[in-house]
Amino acid sequence: MADSECLRCGSCCHSREGTILVEEADIRHWRMNGRADLADRLVEGHFGQRAFPNGPRGACIHLGRPGVPNECSIYEDRATVCRTFLPGSGQCLEARRDGRLG
Ligand code: SF4
Ligand code: SF4
């Protein structure tokens, strides 16, 4: 979430655990590129897929850096679903509405 508006928001990273789904291709990519820790830190998600776990804030465990609570801490390695989630899209507006964070 490098977009400045996203840094003030973070709504799309606040979701019930098991709903931010990770693709098999992400898992393979992480394992082949030195980030097996990300592949090993997933939970059961909807539709039989794997998903990011939530942290104590009720958001994706990877949300937040010291002093920047809405920045993705694994931005360069984030999942496909995160890369394709476009600011300003219908999904974005829905997340902001439902999350009441943005
Ligand atoms: S909901 Fe939209 S504005 Fe908020 S962080 Fe996600 S993409 Fe950015
Ligand atoms: S990996 Fe990053 S961008 Fe994706 S849901 Fe988690 S905090 Fe948000």
Side-chain angles (χ1 to χ4, degrees):
M1 289 184 299
D3 185 282
S4 60
E5 191 166 351
C6 293
L7 293 177
R8 291 193 298 273
C9 175
S11 292
C12 57
C13 305
H14 285 73
S15 186
R16 279 183 297 118
E17 185 165 89
T19 60
I20 303 179
L21 300 175
V22 168
E23 298 182 4
E24 285 298 322
D26 295 318
I27 295 172
R28 280 196 302 276
H29 176 79
W30 290 329
R31 291 201 186 284
M32 291 171 58
N33 291 280
R35 293 307 310 259
D37 58 306
L38 299 178
D40 291 340
R41 199 180 190 185
L42 299 171
V43 296
E44 292 300 323
H46 292 183
F47 314 119
Q49 285 184 255
R50 306 289 286 163
F52 285 125
N54 275 4
R57 294 167 57 202
C60 172
I61 192 85
H62 301 298
L63 184 65
R65 292 181 189 274
V68 196
N70 290 323
E71 184 173 22
C72 177
S73 65
I74 61 163
Y75 189 76
E76 295 302 324
D77 295 304
R78 68 200 188 286
T80 301
V81 69
C82 313
R83 294 177 183 277
T84 56
F85 197 103
L86 299 178
S89 66
Q91 282 181 304
C92 165
L93 299 177
E94 190 175 347
R96 292 175 66 147
R97 183 198 66 201
D98 292 348
R100 296 186 296 277
L101 295 167

